[in-house]
Amino acid sequence: MTPLYYAISAVLLGWHKVFGALFGPDSGAAWAFSIIGLTVVIRAALIPLFVKQINSSRNMQLLQPKVKELQKKYGHDRERLTQETMALYKETGTNPFSSCLPLIIQMPIFLALFRLLNSAANNDKPKGFLTQADVESLRNATIFGNVHIADSFTSTDQVAVKIFAGILVLAMTATTFLTQRQLMSKNMPADALSGPYAQQQKMLLYVLPLVFAVGGIAFPIGVLLYWTTSNLWTMGQQFYVIRNNPAPNTEAFYAKQKRDAEKARKHGKVVETEVVVEETPEPPAPPRQQPKRQSRSQRKGSQGNPRPNPNQDQNQNDQGDDQ
């Protein structure tokens, strides 16, 4: 964790010099905005991974029909099913673990910031580039009156701290839930909402916010600021990507087509639409007529009077012509 301590403290102190000049070096606003600035720097550095995460999630969604076919074909053989599924992912260049990369990479940063703030709250030895004066300034910094940035919901009995920490925990939980729900409701095709990947996403939709809500009461105020800001960044970034580059056959995709068509009409352009030519169905064959039922006397009469032979009539006509 030592390299992370130096990296995070360097960015934090850099922003602190900027906001300290505006609000005062020992003010809580300077340290709070410095934590938000740290969040912006980290999330900006993770943009390539976020794009990779979006593309991986999209590929996973589009491959669900093929995955379902493999499940029907190799459902009785779990080992063969796993091999064929991984071969499909490899063939299409899809990594099912890419969707977890931003979260996995953020966790050590999250833990390092947690320890920096926790050591400041306990007046421990400074970490990274922080000096003892920085630790004391961070420990004594307050916002909204007497809410210390280094305090948590469980570390103090002050009502103001508990209320503010509770609000941030709820905000962190709500933004986590809404971010995941935004991805599922706007950028997932209908046939991908019933596969195993969709079931996994639905489980994470409710499990992750619950985990953060339970663990959030032990996070310092500064860490809650970091995580809530990070979630808001994710929501905005995800909204931009889904709006401008949605997955095919999704709600966001159809909404983008509608916006593009309206924009084209405003500029006087002809909107090309796909014309579906309906084939004229062939007329149904006439019903087969059933022969009329005859009485027994009629059947006997038809048997006694055989049908005339057209060849015989023709021969007789030919003989009359010769004569």
Side-chain angles (χ1 to χ4, degrees), residues 1-2 4-5 8-9 12 107-128 130 135 138 150 218-220 222-223:
M1 298 294 292
T2 301
L4 285 176
Y5 292 148
I8 291 176
S9 61
L12 190 64
M107 291 310 296
I109 300 173
F110 176 82
L111 182 59
L113 180 62
F114 173 81
R115 290 185 177 180
L116 284 176
L117 295 177
N118 194 48
S119 62
N122 297 325
N123 200 15
D124 293 337
K125 182 179 178 180
K127 298 180 183 297
L130 293 176
V135 170
L138 182 58
F219 296 159
V223 175

Side-chain angles (χ1 to χ4, degrees), residues 161-182:
V161 175
K162 289 184 177 295
I163 292 176
F164 189 69
I167 293 174
L168 288 179
V169 169
L170 292 177
M172 180 182 65
T173 304
T175 50
T176 302
F177 176 82
L178 292 176
T179 301
Q180 189 68 17
R181 183 176 177 82
Q182 180 189 48

Side-chain angles (χ1 to χ4, degrees), residues 61-62 186-192 246-254 257:
Q61 297 162 13
L62 297 178
K186 299 291 185 180
N187 206 40
M188 289 188 69
D191 57 354
N249 300 324
T250 60
E251 181 180 344
F253 178 78
Y254 299 130
Q257 283 187 329

